[in-house]
Amino acid sequence: DELRRYRLVRFEYAGEKTTRAIMAYLAPTGQVVTAISFSEHCGSSEFTIKDNKIFCARCPSNWDMMTMEAYACCAKYFPDPIPSRVSDNEVRIPKVFVERWSGRL
């Protein structure tokens, strides 16, 4: 319900050995997309959505929500998508994808 209301939500995953910022957003097609909410280039974990683009809260970078075409400085470091599924009005992300994520730098 929150995802439908806000189009983008961010939350923390706290595992035994790691804590990660995760985001989920609704693409223009209505598809739910989940990603590690982090840009390795500038260090931001905060993002917003406007006009079907994802905007970094720390630098001028933004990305097309569907193609991830980049505008500005963090071209390769958009929030890294991870697999998920929607079940019973919940977005479920297998923890293995979150725990083994190591970044792209």
Side-chain angles (χ1 to χ4, degrees):
D1 292 333
E2 286 183 37
L3 191 52
R4 284 187 199 102
R5 182 175 175 193
Y6 298 110
R7 284 190 66 206
L8 182 144
V9 293
R10 181 184 172 280
F11 49 94
E12 296 286 326
Y13 167 81
E16 291 181 26
K17 297 181 181 180
T18 187
T19 300
R20 299 238 190 273
I22 308 292
M23 66 188 294
Y25 65 87
L26 286 177
T29 60
Q31 176 186 7
V32 173
V33 178
T34 51
I36 302 296
S37 188
F38 187 65
S39 173
E40 297 96 322
H41 186 261
C42 72
S44 181
S45 65
E46 299 283 335
F47 300 89
T48 60
I49 290 179
K50 182 181 178 188
D51 298 329
N52 295 329
K53 291 184 180 176
I54 299 170
F55 287 82
C56 182
R58 183 175 280 181
C59 74
S61 292
N62 62 87
W63 303 268
D64 179 277
M65 290 173 73
M66 296 302 296
T67 65
M68 289 307 192
E69 181 179 352
Y71 309 92
C73 60
C74 295
K76 292 189 256 181
Y77 302 106
F78 51 84
D80 198 9
I82 54 175
S84 64
R85 65 183 172 83
V86 177
S87 176
D88 297 325
N89 203 34
E90 291 183 348
V91 177
R92 298 183 179 256
I93 302 167
K95 69 180 181 178
V96 65
F97 295 109
V98 178
E99 290 178 348
R100 74 176 179 196
W101 186 82
S102 63
R104 296 165 284 192
L105 282 178

